[in-house]
Amino acid sequence: MGMSGQHWRDAIKRDWRVLKFASGTYRGDLGIVKQAVWQDGKSLEFALAEAREDRDLVLRAVRDNGSSLRFASPELRDDKELVLEAVDQDGLALQFASNALRDELEVVARAVKQNGMALAFATNRLRSNEQLAYAAVKHNGMALAAASPDFRRHREVVRSAMRNNVAVLRLAHRDLLRDPDLVLEAILCNGAAMQYASLGLRADRDFVLKAVGRSAWALGYASPELRRDREFVLECMGVNNMAFEFADNEIKGDSSFILRATSLDASPQRLNYMKTMTHDASVKSVMDRRSQFVRRTWTAEDANAFRRSTVAMRRSARDAGDERSDERRSSGLATTGSFVTLGVGAGRSTNADAAAAQGSFLTRRA
C-alpha cells in the first residue's frame, strides 16, 4: 500500500532528502516541494519541471543555495533579479545564468565580489575588463588564471593578486619575474615566492642577500652555487641567522663552518639557534666557547684564574644567602633546610633555629 500525500508531506517535513524517492505526482506538487526547499535549496534538483518554473519557489531555493540556479527553468535563469540573488549567495552560480546575463557588467561584478573565480564564467569581453580583473584577484589571487591572458603582463594586477596569494607568480609573465622590486615585495609576503623569480635573480648575490633579509626561506630557492658558497652563507647569516637552515647540506654538516659562524657572532641568539639546528648541546660542542679553552694545555695561570672565579662565585652565593636569612629572621620566620619554625619575639629567634635543627617539626611560640 502506497503512502498518501499527507504521509509524504510529513516525511519530507522531517527530511527533505525523502523527496528524491517520491513519485512524480508528489515531486510536481508545489506544496510538497516547498516543504523540501524551505529546508535546503538543493532539493530543487528533485522537483519536476513544472515546479522548477515557479519563480517564488526558485527564488527561495537560490537564496538558500545559489548553485540551485542550475535546476531552474531556462526562463528563470534569464531573470536578472533572480540571478543576482543567486550570485550574491554563491558567485560561482554565474555559470548557470543565461549567456546574456553572463555578459552584463552588474551581474558579473556581483558574482566576482562574492567569489573571484566567478570571473571564469563571464564572457570574453568582461574577462578583459580591468575593473573586474582587479576585483577578482583581490578576492582570490588565483583568479588571474580566469582573467584575460593580457593581465598576466599587467604589473599592478599581478601585484594585487600576489598580495592575496604569491603562488599566482607562476602565472605571471616572465618579464615580471625579472623585476627585483616586485619579487622582493612577494618575498616579504611569503619567502617561498623566491622560487618563482627568474634564474638571473636567484643567482644574483646582492638580490638574494636582500631577499634573505626579508625571509630566510629565500636562500632555499637561490642558485645551488650560492647555497654552497660558504662566505655567502655566512654573509646571509649576518642578516638572518635562520639562513643556515637553507644552506647546502655539506655546509650544515661541517663543524669547522659552524665553529667559524659562532666565532664571528657569539651572541646567545646565534649560539642557541645553531645548537638547536645541529642538535648539539654537549659541553664539548663546537658552539660552546669552553671547547676552545679546554683544547689547549692547562697552565698555572689557568688554574689560578679558575680558583679565583670559583671563590668569587661561592662568596657571592653565601652573601646572597645571608641576606635572605636576615630577611626571614626579621619577619619572625626562620627556615633551616626542610625545617620551619614560627616564633614571636626577636630575642628568641636563635633558640628557635637551634630547636628546628633537632628534627622535623613545627613549633609555635606564644
Side-chain angles (χ1 to χ4, degrees):
M1 184 177 179
M3 293 174 62
S4 67
Q6 187 58 46
H7 286 151
W8 280 111
R9 285 189 178 88
D10 292 341
I12 291 169
K13 189 175 182 179
R14 289 192 295 270
D15 188 345
W16 63 269
R17 286 176 286 265
V18 173
L19 183 63
K20 178 180 179 180
F21 307 103
S23 66
T25 302
Y26 300 114
R27 288 191 289 120
D29 186 313
L30 279 179
I32 291 179
V33 174
K34 281 182 180 179
Q35 289 278 1
V37 168
W38 274 82
Q39 293 179 57
D40 196 310
K42 293 195 294 290
S43 60
L44 187 64
E45 176 184 0
F46 307 121
L48 294 185
E50 53 266 32
R52 298 181 186 187
E53 293 174 353
D54 187 272
R55 190 178 187 280
D56 292 336
L57 181 67
V58 174
L59 185 61
R60 172 68 188 185
V62 299
R63 282 176 174 169
D64 179 71
N65 189 309
S67 63
S68 294
L69 182 64
R70 68 184 298 183
F71 306 115
S73 66
E75 293 76 17
L76 292 179
R77 284 190 280 163
D78 193 40
D79 184 319
K80 182 177 178 179
E81 181 184 352
L82 192 145
V83 170
L84 285 174
E85 291 282 354
V87 298
D88 281 344
Q89 200 282 326
D90 182 357
L92 297 180
L94 179 66
Q95 62 188 298
F96 306 117
S98 66
N99 291 337
L101 291 180
R102 289 193 291 116
D103 192 46
E104 189 164 325
L105 181 61
E106 182 186 358
V107 175
V108 175
R110 291 267 286 271
V112 165
K113 182 179 179 181
Q114 203 282 328
N115 190 324
M117 293 305 296
L119 186 61
F121 305 111
T123 59
N124 289 336
R125 181 182 73 86
L126 292 182
R127 288 171 62 201
S128 299
N129 183 291
E130 187 173 325
Q131 179 185 356
L132 288 176
Y134 269 115
V137 300
K138 184 178 180 180
H139 180 274
N140 185 332
M142 297 308 294
L144 182 64
S148 169
D150 294 337
F151 288 117
R152 300 187 183 196
R153 293 173 175 266
H154 196 300
R155 190 179 191 277
E156 293 307 314
V157 171
V158 171
R159 188 165 175 250
S160 182
M162 176 190 76
R163 289 175 176 174
N164 178 272
N165 187 342
V166 296
V168 77
L169 287 179
R170 68 169 179 256
L171 302 174
H173 191 271
R174 59 179 177 273
D175 289 344
L176 293 180
L177 301 180
R178 299 189 188 107
D179 184 334
D181 294 332
L182 183 69
V183 176
L184 283 175
E185 184 177 346
I187 290 171
L188 190 59
C189 298
N190 188 328
M194 182 69 167
Q195 64 187 296
Y196 304 113
S198 66
L199 293 176
L201 288 180
R202 290 159 65 184
D204 186 314
R205 296 176 70 94
D206 293 336
F207 175 79
V208 174
L209 192 61
K210 291 179 182 178
V212 170
R214 287 160 173 75
S215 173
W217 281 75
L219 184 60
Y221 298 102
S223 67
E225 293 75 20
L226 290 181
R227 294 178 61 227
R228 287 195 296 264
D229 188 324
R230 295 166 182 268
E231 295 302 321
F232 182 69
V233 172
L234 284 172
E235 196 173 354
C236 288
M237 291 177 66
V239 175
N240 190 331
N241 280 327
M242 290 181 65
F244 174 76
E245 185 174 349
F246 303 97
D248 186 81
N249 287 333
E250 183 180 346
I251 291 179
K252 290 193 287 185
D254 187 346
S255 59
S256 63
F257 176 85
I258 297 170
L259 181 59
R260 186 177 176 200
T262 53
S263 297
L264 293 174
D265 181 358
S267 64
Q269 291 84 357
R270 174 166 290 190
L271 292 176
N272 290 334
Y273 172 71
M274 296 295 283
K275 284 185 177 183
T276 301
M277 287 303 302
T278 58
H279 306 289
D280 188 356
S282 64
V283 174
K284 294 185 178 181
S285 166
V286 295
M287 288 157 287
D288 197 320
R289 298 301 96 202
R290 289 175 296 181
S291 64
Q292 298 180 30
F293 181 72
V294 299
R295 283 179 180 177
R296 59 183 175 81
T297 306
W298 183 267
T299 64
E301 184 179 351
D302 295 330
N304 291 332
F306 178 75
R307 189 179 300 109
R308 287 194 297 272
S309 64
T310 302
V311 171
M313 285 191 297
R314 288 177 177 172
R315 182 181 296 116
S316 176
R318 186 175 62 250
D319 292 344
D322 290 344
E323 291 178 2
R324 288 194 296 271
S325 181
D326 291 341
E327 291 175 0
R328 292 190 182 96
R329 289 193 178 96
S330 64
S331 63
L333 178 63
T335 303
T336 305
S338 60
F339 309 113
V340 180
T341 301
L342 296 175
V344 179
R348 307 180 69 176
S349 61
T350 301
N351 294 334
D353 290 343
Q358 301 298 319
S360 176
F361 61 92
L362 184 67
T363 303
R364 185 174 186 84
R365 298 178 182 275

